[in-house]
Amino acid sequence: MTEGRSCPLAYRYDPATLAENPTRVSEDVLYVIGGLYGNPYALDEIEEMALAEERQGHRVKLVFNGDFNWFNASDALFRDINNRVLDHTVNLGNVDYELANPSPGAGCGCAYPAFVDQGVVERSNRMMERLQATAGEHPDILKRLSLLPRYRCLIFGGLKVLVLHGDPESLAGWGLAYESFAAGNEARLADWFRASGVDLIVSTHTCLPVLWKGTVDGRSCAVANNGAAGMGNLVSDPRGLITRIGFTSPVAEPVAGIESHGLNVTLLPVAYPLQAWLQAFDQLWSPGSAAAISYRDRLVSGTSLMPERIVFPALP
């Protein structure tokens, strides 16, 4: 298997074990932040969003579900991002895992499916090599990363909220990707909800946002995939997205939302200062570099995904 398309055995887990030993949450709101990708300006904005909620009387818990590292290939930025993120509740993404626990032959650890162009895969592998070289200068941070779990189950409002990076079978699984929902994955979803017994699954990893609500054996279930907090997700829109879960409405206007078990599950935009981040990005990743080729256009222009296509079953 080509590096970057393989999935190390250590990434695998059993859906039936994912809700064991859950942690009870006392806060009023969860911000689940996936795919920060080393963007400090997005992190600044997320912290400001949480403060705005708290001024409205909403206690906010920040939960990072992986890949908070990626573009931060400098010593100063690597330390800044990790020290700030690790003050919160965190589970690993494949990028973070491969920094702390490199797997021979895994490359970037993304387990890219066949529909992803091979050039993207090879550039991601080169990015990982550079980031691993940076991370190697910070053994204290790598030690902290190595102690993090691959997933978490939280009890929020009496509900089981499973927070993971890929899907319920793998740290780098694509079963909760936008493309998977577009292809119709209801049977697989139902099996995961039956096996785990959770009410809501919150994921990231696959870079495009998804909201889904349905019933499994008469039980209401939902999925939220925020896409990426640190870069654009929608057509002509450079803002990142995070998943907000709460019994109250968000302070800011979401791009999409669903309701499940009385919870508001929304995707909130992260409107960080794009020009400031582009200036920093260009210093880190010059034109023609792997990251610039793969990601700079997306940072500026977002993707081709329309907001009305986020919620599945897709709106007509």
Side-chain angles (χ1 to χ4, degrees), residues 244-255:
R244 180 194 187 272
I245 306 168
F247 289 98
T248 58
S249 298
V251 174
E253 182 69 25
V255 300

Side-chain angles (χ1 to χ4, degrees), residues 93-108:
N94 57 282
V95 171
D96 321 300
Y97 187 97
E98 290 303 319
L99 295 178
N101 311 279
S103 307
C108 61

Side-chain angles (χ1 to χ4, degrees), residues 11-221:
Y11 284 19
R12 300 286 185 175
Y13 31 72
D14 180 358
T17 68
L18 299 181
E20 295 177 350
N21 304 313
T23 301
R24 194 167 299 276
V25 174
S26 60
E27 287 83 356
D28 308 304
V29 174
L30 297 178
Y31 276 10
V32 185
I33 303 149
L36 181 68
Y37 293 138
N39 182 340
Y41 298 96
L43 183 53
D44 291 344
E45 177 61 20
I46 291 164
E47 291 172 345
E48 287 298 320
M49 292 162 64
L51 287 174
E53 296 258 15
E54 290 170 1
R55 287 193 288 269
Q56 298 294 320
H58 306 158
R59 295 171 301 155
V60 180
K61 184 178 187 66
L62 271 57
V63 181
F64 291 82
N65 61 332
D67 286 4
F68 40 94
N69 293 292
W70 195 223
F71 300 132
N72 52 324
S74 73
D75 289 320
L77 188 52
F78 185 80
R79 292 201 70 85
D80 177 59
I81 289 293
N82 283 277
N83 283 332
R84 293 169 68 184
V85 167
L86 293 174
D87 279 342
H88 300 283
T89 298
V90 181
N91 56 268
L92 293 167
N94 57 282
V95 171
D96 321 300
Y97 187 97
E98 290 303 319
L99 295 178
N101 311 279
S103 307
C108 61
C110 300
Y112 283 118
F115 61 76
V116 176
D117 181 77
Q118 182 61 23
V120 172
V121 179
E122 293 172 0
R123 289 191 294 273
S124 291
N125 292 341
R126 295 201 299 273
M127 289 177 65
M128 176 58 76
E129 289 175 1
R130 178 176 165 186
L131 189 59
Q132 285 174 329
T134 300
E137 299 299 317
H138 306 275
D140 58 324
I141 290 177
L142 295 185
K143 176 65 174 178
R144 296 172 72 187
L145 292 177
S146 72
L147 299 175
L148 292 173
R150 296 168 296 168
Y151 54 84
R152 293 178 184 270
C153 184
L154 306 177
I155 302 295
F156 181 76
L159 303 174
K160 289 184 178 180
V161 180
L162 176 60
V163 180
L164 42 70
H165 185 71
D167 65 30
E169 293 181 10
S170 172
L171 177 72
W174 285 68
L176 300 177
Y178 178 88
E179 294 84 356
S180 183
F181 281 87
N185 69 344
E186 287 81 1
R188 196 177 184 194
L189 262 184
D191 287 343
W192 286 335
F193 276 106
R194 287 190 191 101
S196 65
V198 301
D199 302 292
L200 171 61
I201 301 174
V202 189
S203 181
T204 182
H205 178 57
T206 56
C207 287
L208 289 178
V210 172
L211 290 173
W212 174 89
K213 182 174 72 171
T215 57
V216 177
D217 302 334
R219 182 168 61 92
S220 180
C221 299

